[in-house]
Amino acid sequence: MAGNLEFIKSETGTSVALLDVTNCFSNKYDVYYFSLTKVNKASGGFVNIRYLDSGGTVIDQTEYDYASLETRAYIGFGANGVTNASSIKEIACGTDIGGVSLYVYNPYDSSSYTFLTNQSSSVRAGFGNWGSKVIAVHKSAEQLSGVRFIAEGTTFNNITVNVYGVK
């Protein structure tokens, strides 16, 4: 994505199943970049997300659609498309996640759906290298305030999330 990045905030977690990045969206930007680093999970499985509404409440209704493309060293490519999900899944997978780049579009605009693009690289224990690309939409035109990162079925040993506004 072209443009300058302006740092907004950083959140870290240790031995947590969830990490909320709150109050990171405003009317100052239309596009946000999230960089996940130092991500290590207790066991394999996916990193998923849910948005937080303007009051900070987790949106867990079936308002998300997403599609993913996985590049897996042990079996090749895989694709998945899901409608009416209660979270955006497959943001990353594995125990040692090398990096996650995530863009969120229009989260503060109450008259627009919120869109997401993502790519990640990781190592999944027993399976080898794993990469993924995800596109998603939150199908409710509402103002959002943040993002919840979820270690599906496990915990994050460590996770750091840096948030930037794209100018």
Side-chain angles (χ1 to χ4, degrees):
M1 166 129 260
N4 295 321
L5 299 179
E6 195 168 289
F7 180 76
I8 296 172
K9 71 184 304 183
S10 182
E11 296 285 346
T12 60
T14 303
S15 300
V16 296
L18 311 166
L19 180 68
D20 288 347
V21 181
T22 60
N23 300 314
C24 58
F25 301 134
S26 72
N27 62 359
K28 190 171 180 182
Y29 308 100
D30 294 326
V31 180
Y32 294 81
Y33 172 67
F34 289 74
S35 173
L36 280 66
T37 60
K38 302 177 186 171
V39 182
N40 178 269
K41 296 192 339 263
S43 62
F46 293 114
V47 174
N48 305 328
I49 69 166
R50 289 183 170 134
Y51 293 119
L52 308 177
D53 69 16
S54 60
T57 301
V58 175
I59 301 171
D60 58 2
Q61 295 82 25
T62 55
E63 300 177 358
Y64 304 97
D65 290 355
Y66 67 91
S68 66
L69 174 64
E70 301 157 351
T71 56
R72 305 168 294 202
Y74 68 98
I75 198 169
F77 291 96
N80 195 14
V82 178
T83 59
N84 302 318
S86 61
S87 66
I88 301 170
K89 296 189 174 208
E90 304 177 28
I91 296 299
C93 185
T95 50
D96 293 308
I97 299 171
V100 178
S101 294
L102 182 100
Y103 286 94
V104 179
Y105 306 87
N106 303 316
Y108 203 74
D109 184 350
S110 61
S111 65
S112 174
Y113 286 177
T114 299
F115 296 88
L116 173 145
T117 59
N118 158 261
Q119 58 186 12
S120 69
S121 65
S122 59
V123 175
R124 188 169 181 191
F127 295 98
N129 295 329
W130 181 292
S132 69
K133 287 183 167 275
V134 175
I135 58 171
V137 61
H138 173 238
K139 301 180 300 183
S140 176
E142 63 183 298
Q143 190 176 83
L144 304 176
S145 65
V147 179
R148 170 171 282 181
F149 292 90
I150 305 160
E152 184 179 77
T154 187
T155 57
F156 293 110
N157 293 332
N158 296 294
I159 181 172
T160 298
V161 178
N162 295 302
V163 185
Y164 302 85
V166 180
K167 291 196 135 226

